[in-house]
Amino acid sequence: QVQLVESGGALVQPGGSLRLSCAASGIIFSIYSMAWYRQAPGQQRELVAIITKSGSTNYANSVKGRFAISRDNAKNTVYLEMNSLKPEDTAVYYCNSDAFRDWGRDVYWGQGTQVTVSS
């Protein structure tokens, strides 16, 4: 059974920092690209950051220079370090894993963790 379990969401003041974690189980973690998406109320889910199995990263323009994604294959965990948080970063943040396997594309989602940026 595949599980992606996010943690670290919280209420934080503007300008503050948070670190989200996503612990994966039931997959060969090292062969999956891992990503963080977010969805604000009334908005579509959007890609925030992605890290490939080789460690290459890419970010949404809105978070470049403020957020950093990383992975620890030994712990089957992906992280999202978020700095200089803004109210517009408020959303539910979802962890995503994605890989092409012998049977096709294999995608999993976590249940989400709430991040609220407010004074």
Side-chain angles (χ1 to χ4, degrees):
Q1 182 183 0
V2 177
Q3 282 191 309
L4 300 179
V5 180
E6 300 100 332
S7 60
L11 171 63
V12 63
Q13 291 189 341
S17 298
L18 279 177
R19 188 173 85 154
L20 305 183
S21 300
C22 170
S25 60
I27 60 172
I28 305 172
F29 184 79
S30 61
I31 70 171
Y32 282 74
S33 289
M34 299 298 298
W36 288 95
Y37 287 73
R38 66 186 181 188
Q39 188 168 20
Q43 303 293 319
Q44 288 191 328
R45 191 173 295 190
E46 64 173 355
L47 176 65
V48 175
I50 186 168
I51 184 166
T52 68
K53 60 183 180 180
S54 62
S56 297
T57 59
N58 203 3
Y59 298 91
N61 286 335
S62 59
V63 307
K64 278 182 182 176
R66 299 189 298 121
F67 290 12
I69 188 170
S70 61
R71 65 190 296 161
D72 186 337
N73 288 345
K75 295 182 178 180
N76 287 0
T77 301
V78 61
Y79 304 98
L80 185 68
E81 189 76 36
M82 304 187 293
N83 299 309
S84 302
L85 283 161
K86 305 175 181 180
E88 50 264 44
D89 294 318
T90 295
V92 178
Y93 284 71
Y94 296 91
C95 179
N96 166 274
S97 65
D98 193 338
F100 284 96
R101 308 299 306 276
D102 293 342
W103 57 83
R105 192 174 181 186
D106 201 30
V107 179
Y108 300 99
W109 292 91
Q111 82 289 347
T113 187
Q114 177 70 48
V115 172
T116 303
V117 184
S118 175
S119 55

